Every structure is written in C-alpha cells, then in structure tokens.
Amino acid sequence: MSYELHWNPKHPGHIVYMLDLSGSMGRKINDTRLVDTVMEVMQKLFRSLKNEIMNGDEILDLFSATVIGYNSDVFTLMECKTAKEFNKFFNDSRRRGYIFNTQQGGEAEPKWQTYMSDAFDAAAKDINTWLSTQRAKGIQTPAPVVINITDGDPYEGSEFTHSKALAAANRLKAISTPDGNVVVYNIHFSPDTTASKMVLPDTAPSNITSKFLFEASSIIPPELVKTAQNVDAWKGHRITSNSRAMISNETHTDSLLMFISWGTSTGGVTTDMVRQLEPIKPK
Amino acid sequence: MIVSSTILAAFKTSKFGSKPSNCADSFAISPDRHKIAIADGVSKSYMPKFVAEALTEFYVSEKLPGGPLFCDRNASELLSYIVAEWDCKSRNFEASVDEDTAYDLEYQRELYGMGASTFAGIRIDGEEFSFDVLGDSCIFLIPKDHSLSPMILSSMPCEVTLENELPFKCVFGIHPHFIDTKGRIVGEPLEESVKAFDCTILLATDAFSDWFCRNFTKEDANHIIDTLKEIDSPEKFDSFIDSLRDSDLKNDDVAVVLVDVQLTADESESSTNDGKCEPEPTTPEGNDIESKLSQADEFKAIIEDSDNLGEIAQTEEDVDMSNSHVEIEALEESAQVVLINNSEEPENAEFVDSEQAEQIVESNYDVEIDDCNGVEENSVDTGDNTNYEKSKIISIIKKCLGLN
C-alpha cells in the first residue's frame, strides 16, 4: 500500500515547499504585506518541525527539505540535505530575525510574474536528485511531498499559462517510488478575495483557477483523509477519499498554517497542531 | 509454596538514529527480583526519560510502602518523588547544553509544561503476582503449561483469544494512558493480583509489545522467549532489535525484561489434608498433562495413574486477570465445573460434569461423596453449597483440566 513508509532515521523523507514570490505578493492586506504573512506562517511551521526532530540534545534525521521561490525566476531559498542542516538553518534564522529576506534586494523580495510551470519543474528536478542519492545509498524513500503556496494563477509574459503549469505539475506527480507517487498539495491564499472557498474538493470545480489547482493536485493520501475531516475550519466541506489536496480562495492565516502542517504530515511527522486532529488508529 | 524468580533478560535500546543516553524507556529490578518495572517516557512531553527513570526506581525501592502503586496514598508519594527527580535532572540537563539547544529546550518546556510516562510493574508478594499497569507498556504471562491461556496486562484495550495464531489482540498507536509531572493520571490504571503460577513473564514497552502481539503464536510459544533468553549482552540485544526493525518492529525506544517464575513446594509446610494426599509439586517444566481432556475414560486413566491426588481443596476460585479471565466455578445444582477461558461461552469451554466425576471416583475409590472424614474445614463450597469430598474430587478435576 502507498504512503505507509513514515519518515524516520532509517528512511528519512523529503519535502519541497514552493513559495510564490510574484509582485502581487507584495500587496498589503491590513497593513501587512502578503509575503510577510506567508513567511510568518512558514516560520511557525519550521518551529514546529524543529520540535519534532529534537530528541533530548540531539537531532533525529527525519527528513530533508528544500524551499523554492518563484516569480519570473525560479531559485532555491533553502536546501537542507539533512535534519541537522535544517536545524542549523532555523537557528541561524532565529538569530537574524527572519526566515527569508523579503525586503527590497532580499532573496525573497516579491516581484514580477508567476512562472509556476518552471517552479514545478524545479521541484521535480530537486526530487529526482534526492531519489537518486537515496537509491545509490540503498535507502528506502518515502513518497516525496510538494506543497505549493500561491496567491494567484500562473502567468508568463502576457498570458495565463494554466495548461503549461498543469503539464509540469503532472510530470511532477508522475514521479514514482515504491511508497507511492510524489504528493502535490496546492493552496491558493488570498485574504482579500471575496470568492467562495473551496476545500479539498472531490469533483473538478468550474472556476478556472480552482479547476487548475484541482487538476494540479494529488488525491489525498488515505491516512490524511480522516485528519482533514477533523479540521474545524474545513468542516462543512465534503472531504472524501477522492478529494484533491487543494484549497482555493483561502483567506485565513490559521487555515493556511493548518494546510501546510497537514500536508507536511504525509510522512507521519505530525506537528502539535495536526496531532490534535488525529483520530484513534487501531492497528 | 515458594515463588522464585530468575531474570532471563533485561535490556533497553534507543530508537535507530538516537543516542543511548536519550532513550526514554527505563527498567528496574529490585535486589530480590520480586519487584520489576518498566516505563516509557511519552515523547510529546518534556524530558520524559527522567519521569520514566523515577517511576521505575520508586517502584522497586523501599520507597513504595506496599499495595497498589496508584492508590491514593502511594500515588501521592510517587508524584512527589517523580516531580522532584524530573525537575532536578531536567534543569541539570539544560545547564549542560549549548546555547541553541538550551533555547530549544526552553521552548519545549513551555510548550509541553510537563513530563509524562507510561508504566508497567509486577510485584511478587508471597504466592501472588500483583500488577500495576498504566498505558501501552505491557506485561505478558506465558504459562509453562502451554495448555493454559497466556495473559496480557495493559490498561489499553487488549484481549486474549484462543486462536492458535496470534492470541494477543491489542490496540497500539493511539494516545496512551500516562502519569505526568502535573500530577495527572490519565486513564484507568490496571491494578490486579493473581495467584502465582509457573510461567515466563515478559515486560515490554509499546514498540516491542506491539511486535510481540503480532508475532507470538501459541503453536510456537517458546520461540521468541528462547531467542530472548540467548541474548547475553547489550550489543546482541541491539542487533536483535535492529533486525526486527528491518522487518516489522516500529522504530522506537525498546525496553524488555524477561523473568522466569517457578513455584516449588515449601518442605516446611505441613500437609493440611488427611495425610493420604500430599500437595502436588509444581514443576516448572515437564508437566505433560494433555490440555484437552473431555472424555471420561481419559479422566479415569488419570485417576488410576495419579499418585498425588488431593491437593488442598480450594474454595471457589476466581482468577480475574482483567483481560484474560480464568474461572473455576460451580454452576447450577448439577455443579458443573467449568473452565472458562477469556470471555468464551461455556459451551466452548472444557467441562466435566461433576456427576461423571463422582461416578469415576466412586468406581475407583469407593468413597461416598459426602464423606467428609472430619475435614470440614477443607470442604469446598460450591455455588449451591454442596460439599464435596475433601481433596479428591476437586483435585481430580483440576488435574484433568490441567490446573495446578
């Protein structure tokens, strides 16, 4: 069965976070730039993840992680090949006061357009590199996880590029391991939208943006369906075993953090936020 | 009877990828080997290993006055001890690490606010086993007479079935019961006592208990026990556990204690029967009585061959081991004596009709059933107050059913 190989030092997992850093991410909502809100959420997530890898005075090598930023360029913001490197990255970020520099001239300054297709391809390249490395060492590979956080649609030049981005997402989702294919999560975060939120739908929506995200997302791994059904903010939405791992028109920061935490728990490493949602699991 | 215990194996190891010093499982054994304890620190708590250590130390020490661990009187002393130990040791630990780690530990202390642990302990008091169990650390009792049902003690949902394959059915992987440094006992502790018997006792924290439940079979009951008995060093134990982790053992800290319990007759005890019958010694091994004796002629053969009848008759005996229920009781006026295993219906149990037993005894010993021979003090009261001849009937029935 798929998605049963949990992250642990015998077989660490791998996760890629894709962060939309297009120009629209620099807009202010309630006096705070959207990009800074997202970075604050990422900082909380990283804090929780760091807690999970701590065991007394040592770090458990549970996973490696990459953060890819994208606008009209695609670039690596963080590449931690081990949990120890992630731990060091976080400690350094604590000292400097931010995870990624979103100020003008910083590596995470929001600008330009949304080359989401190239970002999906970059994630695929990163994952294939990781898989090759692990296979060469004879280490089992839990299914890799990709979580894409965006405030809009893929746009290049003078047009939307949904088809191109969808093709790239499908190539990413097609990467297979014995534990299952790469799991791709997509969340469209836009606190100032008035459109209806769509949470983990099991049928393709008609709206173009939501339909694109639906088709670009994986079906939720079975173990996560029950957890998702326990999220208060998602109750009232039909979540089934055929639901796709996507949310569109999300306006609440807490729900953004929950979605990212929940998607991260694919590998069995659950932060406290997600742990509270876990149903009783008889074996 | 003298109950003696021998420690066959006592090891612990940390999860793969973790230092031994960060193992949150603990075990302790009293010098006389009559108190044994294991504990498993709850990982999502602060410095759980210090709670686990304090729990096991307290249990096997003189600090435990006696009686159930979690009764009000003992729980109060227990909590004082573990809080003091946990607080002292965790603060010493915080003072010993680098700045980044200290910052992280401070975050964790604030996040969790307490340390917590599960617990499983056994006390051999005279001729009784007394258990104190809280959480998913388990105690398994494997009778040396394999005709008898094994038992599991856990405060989590567990049961023993009579399936030849995998008799233990337990739920692991859910939030366990525990005791914490805020003074909370989460869940209902299991505190029971049973009459001691020849057996092998396994105490194990949850990862190994889970594995044991999925791999112990009645058909091959000794396999895992024999494997553990052969391990004579921590390194060999680590290798053994690593090999299981390549298969189906969860990567987690592991603590295991294996104990051999043997009952022998105390020669200084005088026989309390009429002198014709002596208490039958319980041998740790070599008891070849067949498990399934449901035929009268088989009973007859036992009676004719047996030299040691008349073990002191017992009053109605109800051995309640929580999840493994063994009863000997008289039912109805016909006084059927029924062995009930676990929660099985009587029709699935083995039974001897007392009329049959009477007929067999009469034909062989020419003794009237109601001839008490002045040993009224040893007569057995059944549910309908029928008196049975002092030792013979009950002993015969017990022997037929493989009960000693």
Side-chain angles (χ1 to χ4, degrees):
Chain A
M1 282 190 64
S2 298
Y3 310 115
E4 289 204 330
L5 198 59
H6 285 180
W7 298 356
N8 77 42
K10 265 190 177 289
H11 32 73
H14 186 65
I15 187 162
V16 179
Y17 299 98
M18 293 167 48
L19 300 184
D20 182 341
L21 293 173
S22 60
S24 58
M25 290 291 290
R27 73 186 188 277
K28 280 192 177 181
I29 300 170
N30 297 328
D31 292 325
T32 303
R33 291 186 307 161
L34 189 55
V35 67
D36 294 324
T37 300
V38 170
M39 291 306 175
E40 194 180 317
V41 167
M42 292 302 295
Q43 196 275 341
K44 286 180 181 174
L45 170 75
F46 281 10
R47 170 74 261 181
S48 298
L49 276 177
K50 184 170 155 56
N51 197 45
E52 297 305 312
I53 59 177
M54 278 189 64
N55 184 46
D57 60 346
E58 66 181 344
I59 299 297
L60 297 176
D61 199 19
L62 298 182
F63 64 88
S64 53
T66 300
V67 178
I68 291 172
Y70 64 93
N71 37 46
S72 298
D73 282 337
V74 176
F75 40 92
T76 302
L77 287 169
M78 181 191 86
E79 186 180 18
C80 296
K81 294 189 170 64
T82 64
K84 278 186 181 166
E85 288 184 14
F86 175 82
N87 182 61
K88 182 178 184 307
F89 174 87
F90 184 84
N91 288 340
D92 291 343
S93 74
R94 178 171 59 79
R95 275 186 275 276
R96 64 177 176 258
Y98 55 82
I99 290 219
F100 304 117
N101 186 356
T102 61
Q103 300 305 310
Q104 188 174 8
E107 72 272 17
E109 179 191 358
K111 55 188 177 183
W112 304 334
Q113 297 182 329
T114 312
Y115 281 51
M116 199 183 292
S117 168
D118 291 350
F120 280 130
D121 284 338
K125 184 178 175 188
D126 175 86
I127 283 171
N128 280 323
T129 301
W130 175 75
L131 285 172
S132 297
T133 304
Q134 298 302 88
R135 285 167 184 161
K137 294 178 188 173
I139 299 173
Q140 287 181 291
T141 51
V145 178
V146 177
I147 301 180
N148 177 31
I149 302 149
T150 178
D151 77 320
D153 300 81
Y155 193 90
E156 300 176 24
S158 58
E159 61 183 356
F160 291 103
T161 52
H162 294 104
S163 298
K164 184 181 176 191
L166 179 58
N170 284 335
R171 287 193 295 272
L172 177 59
K173 287 193 293 171
I175 298 173
S176 70
T177 75
D179 186 46
N181 282 24
V182 171
V183 190
V184 177
Y185 297 78
N186 287 286
I187 182 163
H188 168 235
F189 181 59
S190 187
D192 51 359
T193 187
T194 55
S196 298
K197 185 158 90 171
M198 189 155 286
V199 176
L200 311 180
D202 60 1
T203 51
S206 55
N207 169 272
I208 292 177
T209 302
S210 300
K211 184 169 186 287
F212 158 70
L213 290 174
F214 178 88
E215 291 173 344
S217 303
S218 301
I219 291 177
I220 298 174
E223 273 199 18
L224 297 197
V225 173
K226 278 261 187 294
T227 314
Q229 290 168 341
N230 289 336
V231 176
D232 284 339
W234 302 346
K235 284 181 178 168
H237 296 272
R238 179 182 152 85
I239 301 172
T240 69
S241 57
N242 289 321
S243 288
R244 297 290 181 112
M246 65 141 287
I247 293 180
S248 62
N249 301 316
E250 177 58 71
T251 56
H252 289 99
T253 307
D254 286 348
S255 188
L256 171 64
L257 176 59
M258 174 58 76
F259 181 84
I260 301 173
S261 301
W262 169 75
T264 302
S265 72
T266 305
V269 173
T270 52
T271 60
D272 284 319
M273 188 175 226
V274 175
R275 196 170 299 112
Q276 295 164 28
L277 306 171
E278 285 184 326
I280 290 176
K281 293 183 289 187
K283 288 186 182 174
Chain B
M1 300 297 274
I2 297 173
V3 180
S4 58
S5 58
T6 307
I7 305 299
L8 302 175
F11 297 104
K12 68 174 185 177
T13 188
S14 56
K15 59 177 71 65
F16 179 86
S18 175
K19 296 191 298 190
S21 59
N22 284 325
C23 179
D25 286 359
S26 177
F27 69 83
I29 303 165
S30 63
D32 62 2
R33 300 180 306 283
H34 279 198
K35 287 197 279 187
I36 302 147
I38 59 167
D40 178 1
V42 174
S43 58
K44 298 309 162 191
S45 71
Y46 189 62
M47 297 289 168
K49 65 178 179 178
F50 296 138
V51 181
E53 283 173 9
L55 271 170
T56 54
E57 284 166 8
F58 182 89
Y59 191 77
V60 305
S61 72
E62 301 298 322
K63 298 181 180 64
L64 179 62
L69 178 67
F70 298 108
C71 68
D72 287 344
R73 178 194 57 171
N74 288 341
S76 172
E77 291 206 30
L78 170 68
L79 279 165
S80 297
Y81 181 78
I82 64 174
V83 169
E85 285 288 299
W86 169 80
D87 195 50
C88 176
K89 287 181 177 176
S90 58
R91 293 203 185 277
N92 287 343
F93 187 82
E94 287 157 8
S96 71
V97 298
D98 61 54
E99 182 197 338
D100 282 333
T101 306
Y103 181 91
D104 291 330
L105 290 177
E106 188 185 330
Y107 173 85
Q108 281 200 332
R109 185 187 269 274
E110 202 176 307
L111 176 69
Y112 296 128
M114 55 78 184
S117 177
T118 69
F119 180 81
I122 176 171
R123 290 169 280 129
I124 302 173
D125 297 321
E127 293 181 22
E128 269 196 346
F129 296 147
S130 297
F131 307 103
D132 302 277
V133 187
L134 179 66
D136 55 7
S137 295
C138 298
I139 301 176
F140 300 87
L141 284 81
I142 315 298
K144 290 178 184 170
D145 179 354
H146 294 312
S147 67
L148 301 179
S149 177
M151 291 162 236
I152 178 172
L153 295 120
S154 170
S155 74
M156 307 300 284
C158 285
E159 65 172 353
V160 177
T161 70
L162 286 186
E163 294 173 22
N164 282 329
E165 301 294 318
L166 309 178
F168 296 118
K169 305 292 182 198
C170 285
V171 177
F172 292 92
I174 60 176
H175 301 296
H177 302 154
F178 57 81
I179 182 170
D180 72 20
T181 54
K182 284 191 172 177
R184 297 178 300 181
I185 295 176
V186 176
E188 191 66 34
L190 174 70
E191 294 178 308
E192 299 284 346
S193 293
V194 301
K195 193 167 187 283
F197 59 98
D198 286 348
C199 62
T200 306
I201 300 175
L202 171 70
L203 297 89
T205 50
D206 66 320
F208 194 85
S209 291
D210 179 24
W211 179 86
F212 191 77
C213 287
R214 290 183 281 108
N215 287 274
F216 175 86
T217 64
K218 284 192 77 177
E219 276 184 347
D220 196 10
N222 286 332
H223 175 66
I224 299 173
I225 303 296
D226 289 343
T227 303
L228 284 170
K229 280 158 73 171
E230 287 172 12
I231 297 174
D232 56 8
S233 71
E235 293 75 26
K236 286 183 182 173
F237 183 72
D238 287 351
S239 295
F240 170 63
I241 295 298
D242 272 344
S243 68
L244 298 185
R245 284 177 181 147
D246 287 335
S247 171
D248 58 347
L249 176 70
K250 178 185 162 191
N251 184 31
D252 194 1
D253 298 335
V254 172
V256 163
V257 180
L258 191 68
V259 187
D260 177 270
V261 174
Q262 185 172 322
L263 277 66
T264 51
D266 184 347
E267 293 178 357
S268 64
E269 281 178 357
S270 57
S271 175
T272 57
N273 58 29
D274 61 6
K276 285 192 273 189
C277 307
E278 295 173 356
E280 182 161 323
T282 303
T283 56
E285 293 177 7
N287 185 348
D288 294 331
I289 296 174
E290 292 300 319
S291 62
K292 304 200 184 284
L293 300 172
S294 60
Q295 304 297 323
D297 52 352
E298 289 177 295
F299 291 137
K300 188 175 175 181
I302 287 174
I303 293 161
E304 286 176 342
D305 291 339
S306 176
D307 291 330
N308 294 302
L309 300 176
E311 179 181 10
I312 294 173
Q314 303 277 334
T315 53
E316 180 182 10
E317 186 173 9
D318 182 1
V319 179
D320 182 359
M321 299 186 189
S322 182
N323 295 306
S324 180
H325 195 73
V326 178
E327 278 185 347
I328 304 167
E329 63 178 352
L331 310 172
E332 304 174 3
E333 292 187 353
S334 63
Q336 289 182 329
V337 178
V338 180
L339 169 66
I340 302 171
N341 256 328
N342 201 26
S343 57
E344 292 216 313
E345 294 301 320
E347 60 265 23
N348 291 331
E350 301 161 0
F351 69 92
V352 174
D353 187 327
S354 66
E355 288 181 3
Q356 286 179 300
E358 290 168 10
Q359 288 165 7
I360 292 166
V361 171
E362 278 182 341
S363 67
N364 285 277
Y365 292 95
D366 197 29
V367 172
E368 290 184 7
I369 299 305
D370 59 353
D371 180 356
C372 298
N373 285 332
V375 287
E376 188 176 0
E377 68 275 17
N378 289 316
S379 63
V380 176
D381 280 334
T382 64
D384 62 352
N385 289 324
T386 304
N387 289 324
Y388 287 87
E389 195 271 344
K390 178 179 58 170
S391 301
K392 294 191 176 65
I393 299 295
I394 298 299
S395 298
I396 291 168
I397 292 170
K398 281 189 176 182
K399 194 174 175 72
C400 290
L401 295 175
L403 297 171
N404 279 316

